[in-house]
Amino acid sequence: MIIDCHGHYTTAPGPHSAWRARQLAAFREGRPAPGYPAISDDEIRESIEQNQLRLLRERGADITIFSPRASAMAHHEGDERVSTEWARACNDLIGRVTGLFPETFIGVCQLPQSPGAPLDASVAELERCVTELGFVGCNLNPDPSGGWWTSPPLTDRYWYPIFEKMTELDVPAMVHVSASSNPVFHATGAHYINADTTAFMQLIQGDLFADFPDLRLVIPHGGGAVPYHWGRYRGLADMLGKPPLSEHVMKNVFFDTCVYHQPGIDLLCQVIDPGNILFGSEMVGAVRGIDPETGHHFDDTKRYIDAAALPDADRANIYSGNARRVYPRLDKALRERGL
Amino acid sequence: MIIDCHGHYTTAPGPHSAWRARQLAAFREGRPAPGYPAISDDEIRESIEQNQLRLLRERGADITIFSPRASAMAHHEGDERVSTEWARACNDLIGRVTGLFPETFIGVCQLPQSPGAPLDASVAELERCVTELGFVGCNLNPDPSGGWWTSPPLTDRYWYPIFEKMTELDVPAMVHVSASSNPVFHATGAHYINADTTAFMQLIQGDLFADFPDLRLVIPHGGGAVPYHWGRYRGLADMLGKPPLSEHVMKNVFFDTCVYHQPGIDLLCQVIDPGNILFGSEMVGAVRGIDPETGHHFDDTKRYIDAAALPDADRANIYSGNARRVYPRLDKALRERGL
């Protein structure tokens, strides 16, 4: 079985995105949000069947852990109320996808974060999505300001309410920023990768997993710069007087395989324990073209994992075993289906 | 010959750093800076001989391109006048090191950048350092705010005066941030690496080298996350309608080898044209410990280059040929010494 831990609904029906634009316009004008549009099951089916589902089948994966479009979370737009309405709309839409394609998609939610706002609304929305919509995790944005980095580090007590709820529900978070409103940071070329690197270093500096020994965080995009600079991080942990990374951080932190060329995946598999790697593609995402060097899509990451020098047991864990361990509610759903 | 393109004077005599603290205190109190202290040649000699020079000899390099301590540039402290005094003091000290050890150290200058200030003072200081102190390049901070990222991208016309002066003097810049005043970013574990990644993506988005075809930028720390995500960057350039990276960026951009483990260096040498790689260690820098996996210092990067699967000609270029091409004033100085 192959589980893609990193899929976003980047192909959501037009009326959904159009509503967001109208919602933000209403906010700017001091009006309440307009009513959410009717979107038919057929519209949703079509948007999935022609894109994610087609590619899953072509490429040979089975299940996608599916969440709202990351770049559209845009927690820096509007205020907490706006983020709450938008997160709810996005999560409900994911809920409809998972209802229409229950064998293939399982949900992960967007949180209604807002710069400077407490996390109460995020805690409530996580609980709603897990208990009512059957979701198995959340995307947590370490920088809801959209590139201005005004929130405290992830190890700060500001974040503890969401970590407490995650622990209670036994769901992980993928640490994933959204669009950048700072012109220095290209969203998918700089902000995403920087956030991954930044989050990992915060976890080295702090001692979050002493307070939350069961907390699990997935750092996407292959862990940002971390595996490439693994010696730097091992050395910095040592200089900071921390235990080895395998004890200090890597019992709780996992990297996905959204690294879009073979040498990068080879490095990832070489330096990171295969037990900490989850298959992911973020397909129909940041990089949609075909690599002229291979003739295949950059984000067809299964090809790289298939070609990596890995024992079969490790490859199987990367493809599904680790995801079932990190997302126990996914594992439970699969077992109920006899899988 | 082995040229280390990335060395900072991290071991400068105590009175130099103490003066900086007094300068900043005076600024906060609205007083002019105190007089710069007398520092003897012996103090400087000792600080170099016991550290950088000892390690150069132990590890087997010949020449270091030497600049003031990057984390202490702290362009976000004080104002433009404070940055100008501090840059001048730091650069003069580097000038004394290169005067005392002319066979081993050649200077690269700190610029008196300040958030929001124009670059006139930086242009003047670069000219002074190159024409009067014999320096061969500069360190350019893409984020003088120290982690708040308030300056425009490097491709913005804001930066053009310094690029014009660099072109006129035929000197390159290393794109190097300083300390982080934003608690989310650990300086050497996040801010440095993020800045490298960010700068590279800005260069993809823009078209800076159409305006400055002879400009040369060294992106340190192995290019941040870029080589690990080389497929992502190739794919993003394609999505943005840019030429292949080899034409669009890599005629003008170079990465150093400050990557502190063998698999990272192997990846760097595998995916980046060896003509774009400059040997560097940043030793006595960010990561000073011994890797328990190898028994050698993390930042002894020569070991990794020696062990990398590289043709001898490529290794020679990484060790010195590329640096002589990127820093023509260094090349000229070496030729004058018959090297």
Side-chain angles (χ1 to χ4, degrees):
Chain A
M1 181 192 300
I2 296 180
I3 301 168
D4 186 335
C5 79
H6 192 170
H8 301 297
Y9 196 6
T10 51
T11 60
H16 174 73
S17 309
W19 180 80
R20 169 65 164 172
R22 297 209 313 281
Q23 182 212 25
L24 291 176
F27 171 77
R28 285 190 294 270
E29 293 158 15
R31 292 184 286 107
Y36 188 79
I39 296 174
S40 70
D41 284 354
D42 279 349
E43 280 178 279
I44 294 173
R45 266 195 210 95
E46 192 182 10
S47 73
I48 292 288
E49 283 172 352
Q50 296 184 359
N51 295 292
Q52 288 84 0
L53 195 61
R54 173 179 62 81
L55 290 169
L56 268 183
R57 286 176 178 154
E58 283 178 16
R59 298 181 184 181
D62 302 294
I63 290 166
T64 294
I65 299 175
F66 205 52
S67 61
R69 184 174 195 159
S71 63
M73 297 191 297
H75 296 114
H76 58 281
E77 302 267 22
D79 61 7
E80 190 180 12
R81 177 186 62 77
V82 166
S83 279
T84 301
E85 291 167 355
W86 176 231
R88 204 172 168 104
C90 290
N91 293 331
D92 285 347
L93 197 63
I94 294 292
R96 290 183 65 191
V97 172
T98 63
L100 290 169
F101 301 95
E103 295 192 352
T104 309
F105 295 94
I106 195 156
V108 150
C109 69
Q110 168 178 336
L111 297 175
Q113 298 176 242
S114 192
L119 290 168
D120 307 61
S122 294
V123 167
E125 180 65 2
L126 175 61
E127 179 141 44
R128 183 183 81 91
C129 290
V130 172
T131 61
E132 296 179 22
L133 303 181
F135 286 15
V136 299
C138 60
N139 289 333
L140 181 65
N141 184 348
D143 173 32
S145 73
W148 301 100
W149 290 96
T150 55
S151 291
L154 288 173
T155 50
D156 190 275
R157 287 185 174 269
Y158 167 78
W159 301 97
Y160 276 30
I162 195 73
F163 296 147
E164 287 162 2
K165 183 55 70 177
M166 286 166 55
T167 302
E168 176 195 323
L169 296 170
D170 202 14
V171 298
M174 179 173 279
V175 178
H176 203 308
V177 287
S178 183
S180 163
S181 62
N182 185 334
V184 299
F185 299 126
H186 185 274
T188 56
H191 193 42
Y192 281 23
I193 306 295
N194 292 351
D196 305 333
T197 309
T198 299
F200 190 82
M201 190 63 213
Q202 291 171 359
L203 298 173
I204 292 180
Q205 287 178 270
D207 204 6
L208 183 64
F209 304 118
D211 284 349
F212 295 100
D214 297 323
L215 186 68
R216 298 175 303 283
L217 300 175
V218 179
I219 299 188
H221 320 109
V226 172
Y228 176 49
H229 287 285
W230 195 236
R232 173 174 290 255
Y233 293 100
R234 290 194 290 110
L236 285 171
D238 182 54
M239 283 178 78
L240 291 167
K242 302 295 185 183
L245 294 179
S246 56
E247 298 169 30
H248 181 48
V249 173
M250 298 308 282
K251 290 177 179 169
N252 304 80
V253 169
F254 303 84
F255 298 150
D256 76 11
T257 65
C258 295
V259 178
Y260 296 150
H261 64 150
Q262 190 68 48
I265 290 290
D266 290 343
L267 175 109
L268 174 67
C269 295
Q270 184 183 354
V271 303
I272 303 300
D273 188 307
N276 292 87
I277 302 173
L278 272 59
F279 175 69
S281 72
E282 202 173 7
M283 70 174 176
V284 203
V287 181
R288 303 190 184 190
I290 289 174
D291 187 345
E293 293 184 7
T294 66
H296 300 289
H297 283 90
F298 283 106
D299 63 5
D300 187 357
T301 53
K302 180 171 173 293
R303 288 182 176 275
Y304 313 134
I305 300 294
D306 284 342
L310 282 166
D312 286 346
D314 289 343
R315 200 183 330 268
N317 281 330
I318 290 171
Y319 274 142
S320 65
N322 297 335
R324 296 179 72 146
R325 190 158 48 85
V326 172
Y327 295 82
R329 287 175 181 265
L330 165 62
D331 181 60
K332 181 163 177 286
L334 293 174
R335 281 189 281 106
E336 284 170 2
R337 286 161 51 189
L339 297 171
Chain B
M1 182 192 300
I2 296 181
I3 300 168
D4 186 334
C5 79
H6 192 170
H8 301 298
Y9 196 6
T10 51
T11 60
H16 174 73
S17 309
W19 180 80
R20 169 66 163 171
R22 296 208 315 279
Q23 182 213 24
L24 291 176
F27 171 77
R28 283 190 294 270
E29 294 159 13
R31 292 184 287 107
Y36 188 79
I39 296 174
S40 70
D41 284 355
D42 279 351
E43 281 178 278
I44 295 173
R45 266 196 211 95
E46 192 181 11
S47 73
I48 292 288
E49 283 172 352
Q50 295 185 359
N51 295 292
Q52 288 83 1
L53 195 61
R54 174 179 62 82
L55 289 169
L56 268 183
R57 286 175 178 156
E58 283 178 16
R59 298 181 184 181
D62 301 294
I63 290 166
T64 294
I65 299 175
F66 205 52
S67 61
R69 184 173 196 159
S71 63
M73 297 190 297
H75 296 115
H76 58 281
E77 303 266 22
D79 61 9
E80 190 181 12
R81 177 185 62 78
V82 166
S83 279
T84 301
E85 290 167 355
W86 176 232
R88 204 172 167 105
C90 290
N91 293 331
D92 285 347
L93 197 63
I94 294 293
R96 291 183 65 191
V97 172
T98 64
L100 290 168
F101 301 95
E103 295 192 352
T104 309
F105 295 94
I106 196 157
V108 150
C109 69
Q110 168 177 336
L111 297 176
Q113 298 176 243
S114 192
L119 290 168
D120 308 63
S122 293
V123 167
E125 180 65 2
L126 175 61
E127 179 141 43
R128 183 183 81 91
C129 290
V130 172
T131 60
E132 296 179 21
L133 302 180
F135 285 16
V136 299
C138 59
N139 289 332
L140 181 65
N141 184 347
D143 173 31
S145 74
W148 301 100
W149 290 96
T150 54
S151 291
L154 288 174
T155 50
D156 189 275
R157 287 186 174 269
Y158 167 77
W159 302 97
Y160 275 30
I162 195 73
F163 296 147
E164 286 162 3
K165 182 55 70 176
M166 286 166 55
T167 302
E168 176 195 323
L169 295 170
D170 202 13
V171 298
M174 179 173 279
V175 178
H176 203 309
V177 288
S178 184
S180 163
S181 62
N182 185 335
V184 298
F185 299 126
H186 185 275
T188 56
H191 192 41
Y192 281 22
I193 306 295
N194 292 351
D196 305 333
T197 309
T198 299
F200 190 82
M201 190 63 212
Q202 291 172 359
L203 298 173
I204 292 180
Q205 288 178 270
D207 204 5
L208 183 64
F209 304 118
D211 284 348
F212 296 98
D214 297 323
L215 187 68
R216 298 176 303 283
L217 300 174
V218 179
I219 300 188
H221 321 109
V226 171
Y228 176 49
H229 286 286
W230 195 236
R232 173 174 291 256
Y233 293 100
R234 289 194 291 110
L236 285 171
D238 182 54
M239 284 178 78
L240 292 168
K242 301 295 185 183
L245 294 178
S246 56
E247 298 168 30
H248 182 48
V249 173
M250 298 308 281
K251 290 177 179 169
N252 304 80
V253 169
F254 303 84
F255 298 150
D256 76 11
T257 64
C258 295
V259 177
Y260 296 151
H261 63 150
Q262 189 69 48
I265 289 290
D266 290 343
L267 175 109
L268 174 67
C269 295
Q270 184 183 355
V271 303
I272 303 300
D273 187 307
N276 292 88
I277 302 173
L278 272 60
F279 175 69
S281 72
E282 203 174 7
M283 70 173 177
V284 204
V287 181
R288 303 191 184 189
I290 290 174
D291 187 345
E293 293 184 7
T294 66
H296 300 288
H297 283 90
F298 283 106
D299 63 5
D300 187 357
T301 53
K302 179 170 172 293
R303 288 182 176 274
Y304 312 134
I305 300 295
D306 284 343
L310 282 167
D312 286 346
D314 289 343
R315 201 184 328 269
N317 281 330
I318 291 171
Y319 274 141
S320 64
N322 297 334
R324 296 180 72 146
R325 190 158 48 85
V326 172
Y327 295 82
R329 287 175 180 263
L330 165 62
D331 181 59
K332 180 163 178 286
L334 293 174
R335 281 189 281 107
E336 284 169 2
R337 287 161 50 189
L339 296 170

